[in-house]
Amino acid sequence: MLVELEKIEKAKEKVGAARTAELTAELLKLEKFDARNFKACCPFHNEDTPSFVLNQKTMKWHCFGCSKNVDLLDVYMHCGMTYMEAVQELFKEAKMEFSFGELGIKTRHEYRYPKVDDCGSKDTIYAYLRQRGFSDKTVDYVGITQDSRGNIVFNYYDTNDVLCMCKYRPSHKIDKSKGESKNWCQPDADTMPLLFNMNKVNASSTLLITEGELDCLAAIESGFTNAVSVPFGSQNFQWIEHNWEWLEQFNSIIICSDNDEPGVKMRKEIVPRLGSWRTRYVEIPHTYHDPNTDRDVIIKDLNEVLYYIGREAVISLISNASDPGVPSIINIS
């Protein structure tokens, strides 16, 4: 289920700046909130002087300190809602009627939907993912669970918030000599080329598409929450056609694949298919000089950027994504 962006923008206008500011202050517990001038201290980084300001034309908050941009839907999602739940809450606040009849409904009758795989604890996967640079908060935000054997379960939801695929990964370093698999899907359940975390993405903001789930987590951990991951590796592109209507909503898309040969091929395949006019790509550095060891460390993906260099480096790479240019156009300069 998709909701036209025009209707969402109309709902934001009906809610109005004053109510938007009031709700944001309440939900994000804004400090030094100025209800008259619609500004406060940014809740996404530490500051003493308010630089988090609501633009009354776009109905988006912008932080002049950390450059964070959020609207009321982002605020709702930050508090735990999915995108469609946030839209539903927005329409309720705007007193606009809209049918959300498909929300939570399994619409594919012959599809073998997976069962929720959750042992009730996340201790093992928390410990492993902390070593990869991820906080427990980020793990919870994307809805990752742990199975009875301590494996990581990446839960793929569609735009109706229905669980459609469970993908697994060991919560330890893989030993290929013992025949261990890097990832697999739930047995006796069908698979669907959805994008991981797509049900928690704001369609009116820039979309980041990564090569793997951990790269998606790296972006979210660093503060860029409008991120998804492809489902079946760098050389499977079924997700483009399957999610085409959803992808068409975005005016701006950033591709972040690994910096190896398959990753470069993935980028070259995706950019023209999604439209070079709206697509940019992240260039992952190949090495990083570690001042603690005085050695160069090989970097492959966004998760390793987070691990070795830090959150600011991840955001900087995304913010400075490269323009692929328009095919057949010559740069006169």
Side-chain angles (χ1 to χ4, degrees):
M1 177 173 58
L2 300 178
V3 181
E4 295 99 330
L5 293 180
E6 292 79 7
K7 290 184 178 179
I8 291 176
E9 292 304 316
K10 184 178 179 181
K12 292 178 186 177
E13 290 176 9
K14 289 194 70 174
V15 171
R19 181 57 178 160
T20 296
E22 181 184 0
L23 284 168
T24 305
E26 177 185 339
L27 294 170
L28 298 185
K29 298 178 173 56
L30 297 182
E31 296 181 0
K32 297 184 180 179
F33 173 58
D34 183 342
R36 183 176 180 179
N37 296 305
F38 306 134
K39 65 179 182 179
C41 287
C42 180
F44 301 104
H45 78 287
N46 295 323
E47 64 176 9
D48 296 321
T49 303
S51 62
F52 192 57
V53 181
L54 178 64
N55 185 319
Q56 298 181 56
K57 290 184 178 180
T58 63
M59 298 302 287
K60 283 191 174 185
W61 293 87
H62 175 74
C63 177
F64 290 91
C66 67
S67 299
K68 185 81 170 179
N69 291 287
V70 297
D71 63 9
L72 194 52
L73 296 180
D74 294 310
V75 173
Y76 285 140
M77 287 192 287
H78 183 79
C79 295
M81 293 185 187
T82 64
Y83 177 69
M84 290 308 302
E85 288 172 340
V87 172
Q88 194 172 28
E89 188 67 22
L90 174 67
F91 277 41
K92 180 181 177 182
E93 191 66 40
K95 295 181 173 58
M96 285 176 57
E97 292 186 2
F98 188 87
S99 176
F100 291 88
E102 292 185 359
L103 190 60
I105 302 298
K106 297 177 180 178
T107 57
R108 295 173 179 261
H109 300 294
E110 296 183 2
Y111 188 82
R112 295 181 301 167
Y113 287 90
K115 297 178 181 178
V116 176
D117 199 348
D118 186 355
C119 72
S121 171
K122 294 185 182 180
D123 292 345
T124 302
I125 64 172
Y126 276 153
Y128 173 73
L129 291 171
R130 283 177 201 143
Q131 296 175 6
R132 300 292 296 262
F134 305 118
S135 64
D136 298 351
K137 182 179 179 181
T138 295
V139 175
D140 293 340
Y141 178 83
V142 297
I144 292 175
T145 55
Q146 176 182 313
D147 72 2
S148 58
R149 297 186 177 182
N151 295 307
I152 301 168
V153 186
F154 296 105
N155 296 296
Y156 280 68
Y157 291 87
D158 64 10
T159 53
N160 294 333
D161 291 342
V162 174
L163 180 63
C164 294
M165 187 172 76
C166 290
K167 188 176 173 183
Y168 297 76
R169 178 191 178 105
S171 56
H172 59 263
K173 190 174 182 179
I174 300 165
D175 189 345
K176 293 183 179 180
S177 65
K178 294 182 180 180
E180 289 187 328
S181 299
K182 182 177 181 180
N183 53 65
W184 64 95
C185 293
Q186 189 175 109
D188 301 320
D190 289 333
T191 60
M192 191 183 300
L194 296 172
L195 293 162
F196 177 69
N197 196 53
M198 67 183 294
N199 71 321
K200 299 202 75 174
V201 163
N202 191 336
S204 65
S205 300
T206 298
L207 173 68
L208 177 72
I209 301 176
T210 65
E211 185 174 329
E213 293 89 356
L214 296 186
D215 298 321
C216 176
L217 263 67
I220 294 171
E221 179 71 32
S222 303
F224 195 98
T225 55
N226 234 47
V228 297
S229 164
V230 300
F232 304 125
S234 62
Q235 302 309 297
N236 186 302
F237 305 106
Q238 293 179 351
W239 58 269
I240 298 178
E241 182 179 356
H242 185 86
N243 303 290
W244 182 253
E245 188 178 359
W246 181 80
L247 289 165
E248 274 198 306
Q249 300 176 101
F250 298 91
N251 291 323
S252 177
I253 299 176
I254 299 174
I255 307 300
C256 182
S257 57
D258 295 357
N259 61 12
D260 54 13
E261 185 177 347
V264 173
K265 286 182 179 180
M266 170 184 165
R267 178 218 304 168
K268 290 181 178 180
E269 176 75 22
I270 292 174
V271 168
R273 291 178 67 173
L274 295 183
S276 58
W277 57 271
R278 64 168 176 169
T279 310
R280 292 175 291 152
Y281 63 90
V282 173
E283 294 188 89
I284 303 291
H286 287 273
T287 59
Y288 164 68
H289 185 76
D290 189 343
N292 297 319
T293 61
D294 197 28
R295 294 181 179 179
D296 288 335
V297 178
I298 297 176
I299 302 289
K300 186 185 73 171
D301 54 34
L302 201 62
N303 182 201
E304 292 185 351
V305 173
L306 172 67
Y307 181 82
Y308 289 108
I309 313 178
R311 299 179 184 181
E312 291 184 2
V314 171
I315 294 299
S316 177
L317 287 173
I318 296 172
S319 300
N320 294 292
S322 301
D323 187 342
V326 180
S328 77
I329 297 298
I330 298 174
N331 188 331
I332 296 178
S333 65

